[in-house]
């Protein structure tokens, strides 16, 4: 009986140690995304510029490997985001809303200070679908994949993880109607996850 108790304690200790080293679970969240455009004047005098941010969401899985106070946290997230584009002419303004779905794969690295995490790293984004038609013959041509970055702060509360991050793009996201607008996607992200183990 004593051997069984001792063996059980060792197994529990090992499981606890493993859970501190490796964590996996689902996560969901909300975002505010926009398309940052370099203001462009068309041949007819109309002006294209960035509009207001758009609310979006994401859902997926995260894993985390922790060694001491340092960690690496790869994720795979389905992300729905977008933005607005304004067309300004002589006395008129039209607003066009763009929506797109992506698979985002961030790989965050950072350090833990008690329940607080400081994190950052690259994010690869693969376009799944998008609305390309804007007006007349003008369309938005987004790249199939882009590379960006995320930086932020997180909190661990029991089995719950909470993150607040900013995501920026390291390359052009696409063009608007063939015009070099230097369109780049960015978003502010708030998310919550749950450690399965």
């Amino acid at each position: 009986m004593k051997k069984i108790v001792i063996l059980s304690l060792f197994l529990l200790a090992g499981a606890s140690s493993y859970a501190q080293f490796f964590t996996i679970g689902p996560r969901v969240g909300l975002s505010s995304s926009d398309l940052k455009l370099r203001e462009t004047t068309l041949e007819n005098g109309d002006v294209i510029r960035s509009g207001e941010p758009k609310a979006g969401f994401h859902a997926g899985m995260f894993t985390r490997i922790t060694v001491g106070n340092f960690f690496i946290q790869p994720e795979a997230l389905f992300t729905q985001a977008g933005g607005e584009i304004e067309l300004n002419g002589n006395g008129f303004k039209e607003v066009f809303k763009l929506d797109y779905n992506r698979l985002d794969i961030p790989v965050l690295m950072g350090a833990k200070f008690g329940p607080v995490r400081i994190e950052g790293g690259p994010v690869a984004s693969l376009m799944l679908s998008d609305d390309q038609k804007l007006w007349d013959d003008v369309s938005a041509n987004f790249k199939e994949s882009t590379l960006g970055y995320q930086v932020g702060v997180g909190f661990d509360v029991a089995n719950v993880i909470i993150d607040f991050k900013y995501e920026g793009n390291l390359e052009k996201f696409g063009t608007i109607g063939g015009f070099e607008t230097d369109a780049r996607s960015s978003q502010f992200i708030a998310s919550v996850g749950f450690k399965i183990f």
Side-chain angles (χ1 to χ4, degrees):
M1 182 66 178
K2 185 183 292 186
K3 291 181 179 179
I4 294 175
V5 172
I6 294 174
L7 179 59
S8 298
L9 290 174
F10 273 114
L11 289 175
L12 287 173
S16 175
S17 176
Y18 181 74
Q20 291 177 3
F21 172 74
F22 179 79
T23 303
I24 188 171
R27 75 178 314 159
V28 296
L30 300 174
S31 64
S32 175
S33 60
D34 64 359
L35 291 173
K36 297 186 180 299
L37 305 181
R38 185 178 70 245
E39 188 173 298
T40 302
T41 302
L42 307 182
E43 292 181 359
N44 63 2
D46 293 347
V47 177
I48 299 175
R49 61 167 62 100
S50 300
E52 296 296 319
K54 182 183 183 301
F57 73 92
H58 61 272
M61 298 289 292
F62 77 94
T63 61
R64 186 191 300 165
I65 298 172
T66 304
V67 178
N69 292 331
F70 300 95
F71 68 90
I72 181 169
Q73 183 172 298
E75 303 176 7
L77 305 168
F78 171 82
T79 301
Q80 191 278 320
E84 291 185 354
I85 294 175
E86 292 183 3
L87 175 64
N88 296 267
N90 293 324
F92 78 92
K93 180 177 77 170
E94 290 188 71
V95 177
F96 301 89
K97 297 182 179 181
L98 288 87
D99 297 295
Y100 50 85
N101 299 318
R102 305 184 314 201
L103 173 63
D104 288 341
I105 306 174
V107 180
L108 302 175
M109 295 161 280
K112 294 182 65 176
F113 305 93
V116 180
R117 288 176 284 108
I118 305 298
E119 56 198 15
V123 54
S125 297
L126 306 176
M127 188 67 71
L128 301 177
S129 63
D130 62 272
D131 297 332
Q132 293 189 337
K133 192 67 177 175
L134 295 180
W135 65 91
D136 298 332
D137 296 325
V138 178
S139 62
N141 299 301
F142 298 141
K143 290 185 177 180
E144 292 184 3
S145 63
T146 54
L147 184 64
Y149 64 91
Q150 290 185 355
V151 292
V153 60
F155 305 90
D156 291 345
V157 183
N159 287 335
V160 177
I161 69 168
I162 303 168
D163 291 270
F164 300 97
K165 298 179 290 187
Y166 171 79
E167 178 179 309
N169 215 314
L170 296 174
E171 55 185 326
K172 292 181 180 179
F173 186 59
T175 60
I176 307 299
F179 296 97
E180 286 297 329
T181 58
D182 194 22
R184 295 174 188 263
S185 173
S186 64
Q187 59 180 339
F188 290 96
I189 304 166
S191 62
V192 61
F194 304 93
K195 300 176 185 177
I196 296 176
F197 65 83

